[in-house]
Amino acid sequence: MADTAMSGSGSVSHPEVPAPAPASSRTTALQTAVWRLRSRGCWTDAAALLERDESPDAALQRAALLVERCLFTAAGWPEAEDALRTAEALAQSDDARGAAACERGQLAYAATVLGVRDRADEARAALGRAAALLAPQAAGRPLLDYRRGLIAEHLADAPQAALAAYRRAHAGATAQGDPLLLSFTWRHLAGLALREGELAEARHGFAESLRIREELGYLVGTAPALAALADAEPEPEAARLRAEALRLFRLLGGVPTWLAAQLSPPAAV
């Protein structure tokens, strides 16, 4: 089920967290601290750093962090809902309202794909609202395209529609210079290639995703990237990659929770 989720903003451009341009060295330091916590799966602590900032941008970033926490841990739903309502209330432009709707769609998607509650209709409606609000060249468009691809792939089982959405997201992330979002688009394009038996293409995409995450220090996303690459590699390389993924998974306290089944050793016969 995928590392279907994440992104944010810190010292690097981040797919899930639309961050305003730093206004001061203090803002830059704050965003760096938020990124370091987020990249290690400490979403609650990262969100807490933003509590004193009552701006719409900070509210949206805080909501995005808590939505991501839900996808990785299957916990924290009430806190994410509260943060989203605040972000929605504070949004003052179509782009801000569209970005909040995109997060609303992601939260509903996460609840559905993790089996917490079927909110598929809400996810589609929220992302449709985001598409109507975000201008064609808005910074949030590539992330929206990526998330629409997730809906198509994992909820609608429509791989061709997912492929088109991921390709749009990939092109947008490339144009915007957003490496973290590229790590997600590479991963999901590779997943569709693997589904079609295109092993060389799948290996390339998974390897690019892993490379980017390691370079960015996105530790919480590295274990899923290792496990994904293992699915496209022969033994013994696949076993080595899964062992490294399991080590990181345990180091982070079993996050993301949905990776546990993929990394569990086969039962003895």
Side-chain angles (χ1 to χ4, degrees), residues 78-90:
E79 294 87 348
E81 290 283 359
D82 287 347
L84 254 179
R85 282 192 288 269
T86 299
E88 289 164 343
L90 291 175

Side-chain angles (χ1 to χ4, degrees), residues 105-197:
Q106 180 72 351
L107 185 64
Y109 164 79
T112 305
V113 81
L114 293 177
V116 175
R117 184 156 63 90
D118 187 351
R119 297 173 60 180
D121 289 343
E122 180 187 350
R124 292 186 184 95
L127 294 188
R129 187 163 64 252
L133 287 165
L134 289 171
Q137 301 305 316
R141 271 281 169 178
L143 177 60
L144 173 61
D145 285 331
Y146 166 69
R147 288 175 169 174
R148 294 181 98 174
L150 296 178
I151 296 285
E153 181 179 4
H154 297 287
L155 300 188
D157 192 23
Q160 289 307 308
L163 179 62
Y166 291 148
R167 283 175 172 167
R168 289 194 303 272
H170 192 82
T174 300
Q176 292 183 10
D178 190 336
L180 188 56
L181 183 52
L182 280 172
S183 82
F184 286 95
T185 55
W186 272 122
R187 171 172 158 69
H188 285 275
L189 287 168
L192 291 178
L194 185 63
R195 182 170 172 167
E196 294 299 315

Side-chain angles (χ1 to χ4, degrees), residues 60-105:
L60 183 58
Q61 185 176 10
R62 188 168 181 275
L65 288 165
L66 295 176
V67 168
E68 182 172 286
R69 175 193 174 201
C70 291
L71 185 63
F72 274 78
T73 68
W77 306 95
E79 294 87 348
E81 290 283 359
D82 287 347
L84 254 179
R85 282 192 288 269
T86 299
E88 289 164 343
L90 291 175
Q92 298 173 353
S93 67
D94 281 351
D95 277 0
R97 284 186 282 270
C102 191
E103 293 303 330
R104 171 68 63 189

Side-chain angles (χ1 to χ4, degrees), residues 9-11 19-20 22 26-36 50 61:
S9 97
S11 56
R26 183 183 179 284
T27 302
T28 302
L30 174 63
Q31 289 300 320
T32 298
V34 168
W35 165 251
R36 286 175 176 167
L50 301 167
Q61 185 176 10

